[in-house]
Amino acid sequence: MADIRNNFVGIKSPNPFWLASAPPTDKAYNVERAFKAGWGGVVWKTLGEEGPPVVNVNGPRYGAIWGADRRLLGLNNIELITDRQLQLNLQEIKQVKKNWPDRALVVSIMVPCDEESWKAILPLVEETEADGIELNFGCPHGMSERGMGSAVGQVPEYVEMVVRWCKQYSRMPVITKLTPNISDIRKPARAAKNGGTDAVSLINTINSITAVNLDTFSPEPSIDGRGSHGGYCGPAVKPIALSMVSEIARDPETLGLPISGIGGVTTWRDAAEFLALGAGNVQVCTAAMTYGFKIVEEMISGLSNWMDEKGHASLDDFTGRAVRNVTDWQFLNLNYITKARINQDLCIKCGRCHIACEDTSHQAISKTKDGKRHFEVLEDECVGCNLCVNVCPVEDCIEMIALEPGMLDQRTKKVVEPTYANWTTHPNNPMRKDPAVEPAE
Amino acid sequence: MSEGMLKNGISAGRLEPGQYARNFSDLHPPLDKHEAFVEADRCYFCFDAPCMNACPTSIDIPLFIREISTDNPLGAAETIFEQNILGGMCARVCPTEQLCEEACVREEAEGKPVKIGQLQRYATDIAMEENAQFFTRAPSSGKTVAVVGAGPAGLAAAHRLSMHGHDVVIYDARPKAGGLNEYGIASYKTPDGFAQAEVDYVTAIGGIEISLGQRLGGDLTLDGLMGTHDAVFLGIGLGGVNALRAEGEQTAGDGLTDAVDFIAELRQSDDLSKLPVGRRVVVIGGGMTAIDAAVQSKLLGAEDVTICYRRGQENMNASGFEQELAAAKGVTIRHWLQPKRVLSENGKVTGIELEYTQLKDGRLVGMGHTLTLPADQVFKAIGQTLDDETAAGLELRGGRIAVDDEGRTSRPGIWAGGDCIDKGDDLTVTAVAQGRDAAESIHRYLSGN
């Protein structure tokens, strides 16, 4: 049986599935339920400074997009940080941690971007004996208008400065939560590292408007006829999150910096992918908000079974294994040549591959054979683009087959080379480097 | 169990009063919006879609389903009605499992085709409830066309002719328009006066006058119509019923009934509890009419209903779905039995003697062995024939009006379509396609093209 115990910057949890700082972790009632359901840890919903708490809108806080059968694909929210009294939250955190010593309990914090504010709240949190803190530099809505959240996360200098204060005034592990609403995610990650952070977590939510009401012309969610951009999350953002996690994981300047992966994690498979791309654990929110806390049972079981099947004894065995395979486009092997192949036994003859290729790509799929409806790849036209695979409604019906070295590519009439060759040395590249004259390192 | 079910002979009121409405309610309750969205989402929007090619009226099915999925039901309805102005009825009565849904790639993929008929009904119901009209008449051509028969073929022809600016008079022998849609289809397929609502919807385009109680062969003659109109379209269906060719048929008296008459009477009844049916019913035939008569007999409270068909199951014209429906309602279907003698006493049917059959050298022959089924009522559902006098002077082929690919009969100026012609399946949807296409041909003729 695979060991899925997790140790993230010294914070131990029985599994790598944490609930992210969000509505599900706003109070003891929810967090207790989450721990009973089996979650390995939670990041308590963001605390603000002492004083009257923030207020939320009293209309809709969430918008969504859906797939077939109203399956929720993307959620956005305009909820702010906790709107409960600081002291109440602190008391509950302390009690919950006492009740659940084996679970990770990290506290998210967001206070104004000045030293005094941070200096004031850190000891209060430390007193709860929580396992660590997460700095909310990510929320893109509401708090950012007050100079907090993503307003801080978008300025690497501020990130570094605040992290430094936290490390200076607290002995707790510091996780810096990053906003994806920035053009290069590596910059704030480097800044956090320079400030001394123990880890980064990402992504926070993405600026978004989920829909426009075409009767009222109000963005959704609509508050009395008007809307504001909210933070987008859920399965739809996972590809963005995976890419950003991988960028930090492979950046030489942040090499080895622990990452807590967040963004659309819905199943064990999503979690395994984040871990493979260098995340030390994952945080989940939308999936729990859609289906309830019970989903963690599937995550634990699925991850364990996959690890057993693959022979991974512990999480460390596969964590980061995909990082080395993330590269720049210019280093991709141009001698790797694939052709689509349609399995005629599985084909249901919907013709989508044909029309997609015919209308929008390379005219490489024929539609009839001997006067009958029949779809087949024309190898002399196929560029191996994979569009047909992606639009085919039948799994595994169309496969991309790699040509073996020595075979003839019917499209280019060239023999497939056994060697690796990329754009940096390609004759068409005006900036190519001639390997022969390149100085030896 | 109701007392009425035990009454011997042919009797009305076999069921508790409330049971009739339940038995004859909508066979397929309509999809609600969410169900329609979920079902529409299953459509793959196939290239050169097989379903569309399988539809006799060539409705652009993937397009209308996509329009439903984007909450554009009126757009969907327009897509349907462009090809088939009786798309509402066809959504209810088409044997979709032999047409579009059989061709659906999901049928091949998983044995569960997209519910195309149900989706078509969803869109057309919305449009018809709103009386959304999508077609307008071209400027008047000054020509008039006589359409004989207000059934699917005639209505489709009339609508298309009117669209092209011709004035149309539809003549029909019955007191109501609609043809088999009104008189010949089981009640539970088209409840709540849908057939009449559809006639109103189709004729709302204008330029169509309906003249009822006018039977061709009576006051109405082809020569007369040719004298008063610029062209004639015949959608007269099949007025005659085949004989059983069994002994005792002539003397059977009460209890030997044409299934089409029974179905028509049932459709026109406003109190089903007053409609008599036998305690034990035998239906002779293997098509949709046999199924409709058998199932409705059962729903009226007949205790024992058996369909006897002279060939095997694979030869039955009734679709698989229809056969399963009959079985589910408690009808017994027996094969390889042909009627030999109708038994009666005192002018009342008491049973039917049937002979077992087999195929010998490709020919159906009696085997000599017989079986007698007791019955109070025997329905004949062995096919209809053209009423000869209605088509006087026109060339026939196989007992039906011979037409060319455009629906032209042997007599210039006269077109025909629907069940009365020698082409296509005897389906509502086929009749609509033939009526529509004949109308296009008539339009070309009247325009001098």
Side-chain angles (χ1 to χ4, degrees), chain B residues 325-339:
Chain B
L325 174 74
K329 297 293 182 191
V331 172
T332 304
I333 303 181
R334 301 196 58 160
H335 306 103
W336 304 111
L337 283 172
Q338 66 185 9

Side-chain angles (χ1 to χ4, degrees), chain B residues 270-281:
Chain B
D270 45 21
D271 184 357
L272 292 171
S273 71
K274 297 203 171 118
L275 197 67
V277 70
R279 180 174 176 183
R280 296 162 304 180
V281 173

Side-chain angles (χ1 to χ4, degrees), chain B residues 412-432:
Chain B
I414 301 181
W415 281 253
D419 290 356
C420 66
I421 65 166
D422 65 332
K423 288 191 165 53
D425 296 321
D426 293 346
L427 296 174
T428 304
V429 65
T430 307
V432 171

Side-chain angles (χ1 to χ4, degrees), chain B residues 326-408:
Chain B
K329 297 293 182 191
V331 172
T332 304
I333 303 181
R334 301 196 58 160
H335 306 103
W336 304 111
L337 283 172
Q338 66 185 9
K340 183 174 167 59
R341 182 174 18 227
V342 182
L343 309 174
S344 58
E345 273 172 35
N346 307 324
K348 287 185 177 165
V349 167
T350 56
I352 184 162
E353 187 183 348
L354 301 131
E355 182 181 13
Y356 290 93
T357 59
Q358 64 180 180
L359 278 178
K360 243 185 185 161
D361 305 324
R363 280 172 51 89
L364 191 75
V365 293
M367 296 170 73
H369 306 283
T370 61
L371 165 79
T372 299
L373 292 178
D376 312 302
Q377 197 166 25
V378 173
F379 287 117
K380 293 187 281 179
I382 49 175
Q384 287 120 267
T385 54
L386 188 67
D387 196 350
D388 281 348
E389 64 190 53
T390 56
L394 300 180
E395 185 191 329
L396 304 185
R397 202 181 292 142
R400 303 200 190 186
I401 300 171
V403 296
D404 67 8
D405 289 342
E406 292 196 15
R408 289 179 288 220

Side-chain angles (χ1 to χ4, degrees), chain A residues 68-69 348 350-352 373 393, chain B residues 34 38 41 44 46-48 105:
Chain A
D69 204 5
I348 60 171
C350 70
R352 289 232 304 243
R373 188 175 176 87
Chain B
H34 178 69
V38 171
D41 196 77
Y44 286 140
C46 294
F47 159 75
D48 188 22
V105 300

